[in-house]
Amino acid sequence: METLVAHIILPLITCSMLFSCLTTFVAFVSSQNVLQSNPDAPVISLCLLDLCLVVLFILQHKVMSTDRFKRFLEYCGITVVERLIHVAVTSFTLMTVMYLWEPITNPYLWYFDTSERFFLWLFFLLLHVFAWTIMFLDALTMEPLEMIGLKQIYNYHMELGPPLQYLPKMLQRCYRSVRHPGPVLLVLALWVHPQMTLDRLVLSYLLTWFLWSGYRMTTRQYRHVSHWLLEAREEVVFHTRHQVSGGRRLDSADSGCEVEYSE
């Protein structure tokens, strides 16, 4: 009973926190309204505070992603909801960072006032909408239910194994090292902005370093993942056409694909 309650309440809490965190983060990164900094506080103190907040988020994310921490949770009997806990704590940490964040409007690297320049405002708006949309679509191709932790609970109650074990081994290794959808687009949203204030510079630099330091996909892995996704798409097309044909068997020439799994 306790397990069933935990597998219902924790997903609801985690999903609500994740949704709130993501919507707040999109506004935090893409808003073109510059908040006023505290005039009484010295710039160095505000800068150190923002720096510590970003480092706190990076350390939390790094520590909870290590095998040692995962083995500790496994030792404590926490296996099925391990990913849910990771997502919930990460969302809470990022929300804390944004809540305590102190803007520093002076000095700045560049500043373009878009409040009276409609086309410039529209350019940055469309650019950020494009970046977030592609990131969202990219996340949909990376096993989003497993990435959040919901599929682990489903497989547990269906008496199945961990979701990743049903994927090709090369794809498993890629997902263990790269679980951030659209890192290039996030870097684009961070740096291509009308106002590059000192606090945004700290945020952009550290998050860019954090994303690229953990991006360890080789060219061979990229080609393997692309090939696997193409095969999966062709297999879906094959089964769809097979059902539409009323159960008539379609060969590879009819379906336009041949699915061969290398692993």
Side-chain angles (χ1 to χ4, degrees):
M1 182 65 181
E2 293 180 359
T3 301
L4 184 61
V5 171
H7 289 181
I8 295 176
I9 296 179
L10 186 57
L12 292 175
I13 295 175
T14 300
C15 290
S16 61
M17 291 179 62
L18 178 62
F19 177 78
S20 177
C21 177
L22 290 179
T23 53
T24 306
F25 184 67
V26 170
F28 183 77
V29 171
S30 298
S31 175
Q32 300 185 38
N33 298 323
V34 179
L35 300 177
Q36 295 299 319
S37 58
N38 186 358
D40 299 328
V43 173
I44 187 64
S45 299
L46 299 178
C47 186
L48 287 176
L49 174 61
D50 293 341
L51 179 65
C52 291
L53 289 173
V54 181
V55 171
L56 172 66
F57 170 75
I58 293 175
L59 287 178
Q60 173 270 319
H61 206 77
K62 289 285 189 181
V63 170
M64 295 192 69
S65 299
T66 60
D67 293 334
R68 179 175 296 182
F69 184 82
K70 294 178 180 179
R71 286 195 298 266
F72 171 75
L73 292 180
E74 185 177 357
Y75 174 79
C76 297
I78 303 174
T79 55
V80 180
V81 297
E82 177 266 329
R83 187 66 190 177
L84 278 171
I85 293 175
H86 178 95
V87 173
V89 175
T90 301
S91 300
F92 177 78
T93 305
L94 187 55
M95 288 288 290
T96 303
V97 170
M98 292 184 289
Y99 179 77
L100 298 177
W101 191 261
E102 287 289 346
I104 308 174
T105 56
N106 192 28
Y108 51 83
L109 288 184
W110 62 80
Y111 182 88
F112 299 99
D113 187 4
T114 59
S115 60
E116 299 180 357
R117 301 175 182 178
F118 174 76
F119 290 104
L120 186 62
W121 171 85
L122 184 63
F123 167 76
F124 285 108
L125 174 65
L126 294 178
L127 181 66
H128 281 238
V129 168
F130 169 78
W132 290 114
T133 302
I134 298 301
M135 273 189 278
F136 173 74
L137 296 177
D138 190 18
L140 294 181
T141 67
M142 299 181 65
E143 295 287 335
L145 296 181
E146 186 278 331
M147 188 161 51
I148 297 173
L150 300 177
K151 199 169 184 179
Q152 287 85 331
I153 294 179
Y154 173 81
N155 283 18
Y156 172 80
H157 290 285
M158 296 298 294
E159 298 183 352
L160 300 173
L164 289 183
Q165 79 175 26
Y166 299 103
L167 299 177
K169 294 181 180 178
M170 180 69 76
L171 194 60
Q172 294 181 33
R173 290 194 290 269
C174 292
Y175 277 179
R176 289 192 183 99
S177 59
V178 181
R179 294 313 302 268
H180 300 280
V184 176
L185 294 168
L186 180 55
V187 171
L188 177 69
L190 288 170
W191 287 97
V192 183
H193 192 270
Q195 297 97 18
M196 182 55 69
T197 55
L198 183 57
D199 64 298
R200 188 179 183 91
L201 178 63
V202 171
L203 178 70
S204 301
Y205 178 80
L206 290 179
L207 287 187
T208 301
W209 170 83
F210 167 64
L211 289 171
W212 287 109
S213 64
Y215 200 86
R216 302 187 298 272
M217 180 179 288
T218 63
T219 303
R220 180 170 175 267
Q221 289 174 330
Y222 171 78
R223 291 174 179 172
H224 184 92
V225 172
S226 300
H227 181 67
W228 181 85
L229 291 174
L230 179 62
E231 286 182 337
R233 182 184 66 84
E234 290 176 342
E235 187 176 14
V236 171
V237 173
F238 172 80
H239 287 296
T240 302
R241 293 183 60 183
H242 182 71
Q243 292 175 356
V244 171
S245 66
R248 181 175 60 87
R249 184 182 182 276
L250 300 178
D251 54 21
S252 60
D254 293 329
S255 65
C257 65
E258 286 187 14
V259 180
E260 295 181 359
Y261 292 99
S262 58
E263 295 184 19

